[in-house]
Amino acid sequence: VKMASDARFGVEVSPRGALRYVAARLGALLLSALLVFIVACFAALGFFIPGIVALVMYFFSLHVTLFEKRRGFRAMRRSSFLIQSFWWRTFFLLAFGLAFVMTLSSMPSIVTGMLRYFATDYGVRILDSTLSLAALVFSLPVTAILSTVLYFDLRIRKEGLDLEVSCDRLWP
């Protein structure tokens, strides 16, 4: 997510720098993730729909914690603010990302299911696990990049972030 952000704003992309950046904010990220999980669980206890609404409303809490240095409930309020007026758009893009990951990660099981007729069960399980892991290694970063681009898109639409960045480049 941090590397996608750096690439978006023309900053040199460095895996080591991204890991250092995230490690410095790990406690705040874990707190935000825990709060979102708890709120979504309580919302889901009532019905399925409130759980989905809560997950979408607070989806960007980790992004807010990472990029705006807001923690806990402040990050959740900020995420909710960014989603306002764009809830359905955000919901469909997140659903697309989830469908992409699920489709890609289920492909190896379909292929290895067909191979069960020709190979041993143990060999097919190893192949299935290996291919599923490879699919996740590809699809999860794509989903992280999608969510980061969506987060910055919402910030641009809500508060004109690009104008602020352009001004910072012209007048440092």
Side-chain angles (χ1 to χ4, degrees), residues 12-100:
E12 182 181 339
V13 176
S14 161
R16 182 173 290 156
L19 286 174
R20 254 187 271 120
Y21 185 87
V22 171
R25 291 157 181 81
L26 190 59
L29 287 168
L30 290 174
L31 173 66
S32 291
L34 180 65
L35 287 173
V36 168
F37 176 75
I38 290 169
V39 168
C41 285
F42 277 117
L45 284 176
F47 291 101
F48 182 68
I49 301 298
I52 292 174
V53 170
L55 282 175
V56 173
M57 279 181 51
Y58 302 128
F59 181 78
F60 294 111
S61 295
L62 295 178
H63 292 80
V64 169
T65 301
L66 191 62
F67 298 118
E68 299 181 36
K69 299 177 185 171
R70 297 179 192 205
R71 299 175 182 212
F73 290 114
R74 288 181 63 215
M76 292 171 70
R77 278 193 297 274
R78 174 73 172 148
S79 175
S80 178
F81 170 76
L82 288 172
I83 297 294
Q84 286 175 354
S85 302
F86 298 103
W87 195 93
W88 284 108
R89 181 176 185 270
T90 305
F91 170 76
F92 285 121
L93 286 170
L94 294 177
F96 170 77
L98 180 63
F100 175 73

